[in-house]
């Protein structure tokens, strides 16, 4: 395949960025998108240029590191697929492909296609955990969990924290990510002790980090590579309203 790439290049957080065009020949249609970028970087290094910085880790669709906006769509044109699992056969020979970083106030650009997503870490640190008493481990069957709740919690737990929901949202909201975390822990018996404090703390941190408000456009769930359903945001709002008792936070 022959491709023309227009890639966002930005030397640092305070520098002005721009789209830079690159030509590639002989790209295998079976190569992944990240492997294609590896080929481009090898070419740039061989020519004495600066390689393109981009995030990656497992390359198995699990870690959530591969954060690229491809032709205006987070993770690219294939639904329920991370960038690292996207293959070049999804594009046409001779196609022009735009590659950009996540665009959100809460995700400042570090360099080129790399953004700082530590705001997600701080949201989780503020409440995305459960109490685990020390001592003898309880019997596995001593805390029964209804099958519908277990299935629903597992569905929400599939969130890999990639941030595609934020990049896709016109408001830069992380409500889908936050809703997934609140739903996952709020449905489990082990998550009940912190349930009400959790949702308030995590939502407060969400707002403090500069994420926007949710207006239910639904772009987040469309872009989510794990298909987290939009209704987790409804559970987030339900728990927050109940936790604040109509606007007054519980003691």
């Amino acid at each position: 395949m022959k491709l023309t790439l227009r890639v966002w290049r930005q030397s640092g957080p305070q520098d002005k960025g721009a789209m830079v065009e690159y030509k590639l020949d002989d790209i295998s249609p079976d190569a992944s998108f990240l492997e294609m970028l590896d080929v481009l970087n090898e070419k740039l290094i061989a020519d004495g240029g600066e390689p393109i910085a981009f995030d990656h880790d497992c390359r198995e669709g699990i870690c959530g590191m591969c954060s690229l906006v491809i032709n205006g769509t987070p993770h690219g044109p294939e639904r329920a697929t991370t960038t690292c699992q996207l293959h070049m056969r999804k594009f046409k020979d001779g196609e022009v492909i735009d590659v950009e970083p996540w665009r959100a106030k809460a995700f400042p650009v570090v360099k080129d296609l790399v953004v700082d997503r530590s705001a997600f870490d701080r949201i989780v640190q503020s409440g995305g955990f459960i109490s685990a008493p020390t001592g003898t481990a309880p019997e596995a069957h001593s805390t029964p969990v209804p099958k519908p709740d277990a299935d629903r919690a597992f569905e929400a737990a599939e969130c890999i924290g990639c941030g595609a929901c934020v990049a896709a949202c016109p408001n830069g909201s992380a409500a889908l990510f936050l809703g997934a975390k609140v739903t996952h822990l709020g449905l489990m018996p082990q998550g009940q002790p912190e349930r009400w404090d959790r949702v308030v703390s995590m939502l407060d941190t969400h707002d403090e980090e500069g994420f926007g408000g949710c207006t239910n456009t639904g772009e987040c769930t469309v872009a989510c590579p794990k298909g987290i359903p939009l209704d987790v945001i409804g559970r987030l709002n339900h728990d927050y309203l109940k936790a604040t008792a109509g606007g007054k936070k519980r003691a």
Side-chain angles (χ1 to χ4, degrees):
M1 299 176 66
K2 292 185 177 181
L3 300 167
T4 299
L5 295 182
R6 295 190 302 205
V7 183
W8 182 261
R9 302 303 306 265
Q10 184 173 340
S11 298
Q14 307 304 321
D15 296 308
K16 185 177 180 180
M19 300 293 279
V20 179
E21 187 173 294
Y22 302 97
K23 301 285 187 180
L24 280 177
D25 296 325
D26 299 325
I27 295 296
S28 169
D30 295 324
S32 74
F33 200 88
L34 296 189
E35 287 171 338
M36 180 273 296
L37 289 179
D38 289 337
V39 171
L40 174 56
N41 273 345
E42 289 173 0
K43 182 177 182 298
L44 290 174
I45 292 171
D47 293 341
E50 178 76 15
I52 298 165
F54 63 93
D55 274 329
H56 62 94
D57 193 2
C58 75
R59 301 202 179 198
E60 295 179 349
I62 298 171
C63 71
M65 289 294 290
C66 52
S67 51
L68 301 180
V69 175
I70 303 167
N71 286 343
T73 302
H75 289 301
E78 189 171 9
R79 290 287 301 272
T81 303
T82 54
T83 297
C84 64
Q85 297 289 284
L86 176 67
H87 290 85
M88 299 313 298
R89 56 180 170 268
K90 292 296 178 180
F91 300 90
K92 297 177 182 178
D93 185 30
E95 187 169 349
V96 177
I97 304 173
D98 289 343
V99 188
E100 302 174 79
W102 283 173
R103 301 290 191 184
K105 179 182 177 181
F107 291 160
V109 173
V110 177
K111 183 177 181 180
D112 295 339
L113 303 174
V114 178
V115 299
D116 181 356
R117 286 174 287 177
S118 58
F120 269 9
D121 297 330
R122 291 186 287 274
I123 289 176
V124 172
Q125 289 167 3
S126 68
F129 52 83
I130 63 170
S131 295
T134 58
T136 305
E139 167 59 36
H141 297 294
S142 63
T143 308
V145 181
K147 181 70 163 53
D149 289 349
D151 290 345
R152 178 71 166 139
F154 186 83
E155 178 182 49
E158 288 187 86
C159 172
I160 57 176
C162 67
C165 52
V166 180
C169 177
N171 305 322
S173 173
L176 192 75
F177 164 80
L178 185 52
K181 301 306 178 186
V182 166
T183 297
H184 164 213
L185 297 174
L187 285 170
M188 295 285 95
Q190 297 88 343
Q192 298 310 305
E194 293 90 6
R195 181 175 177 180
W196 310 114
D197 290 338
R198 173 185 302 116
V199 67
V200 172
S201 296
M202 293 182 77
L203 192 52
D204 284 351
T205 303
H206 169 280
D207 294 346
E208 290 167 4
E209 291 293 339
F211 293 101
C214 173
T215 51
N216 291 310
T217 63
E219 294 292 335
C220 52
T221 191
V222 173
C224 177
K226 298 304 176 181
I228 304 298
L230 192 63
D231 61 3
V232 298
I233 299 176
R235 175 172 283 274
L236 166 67
N237 291 334
H238 167 273
D239 278 18
Y240 183 79
L241 288 173
K242 195 168 182 179
T244 56
K248 296 181 180 179
K249 295 182 181 180
R250 293 184 175 185

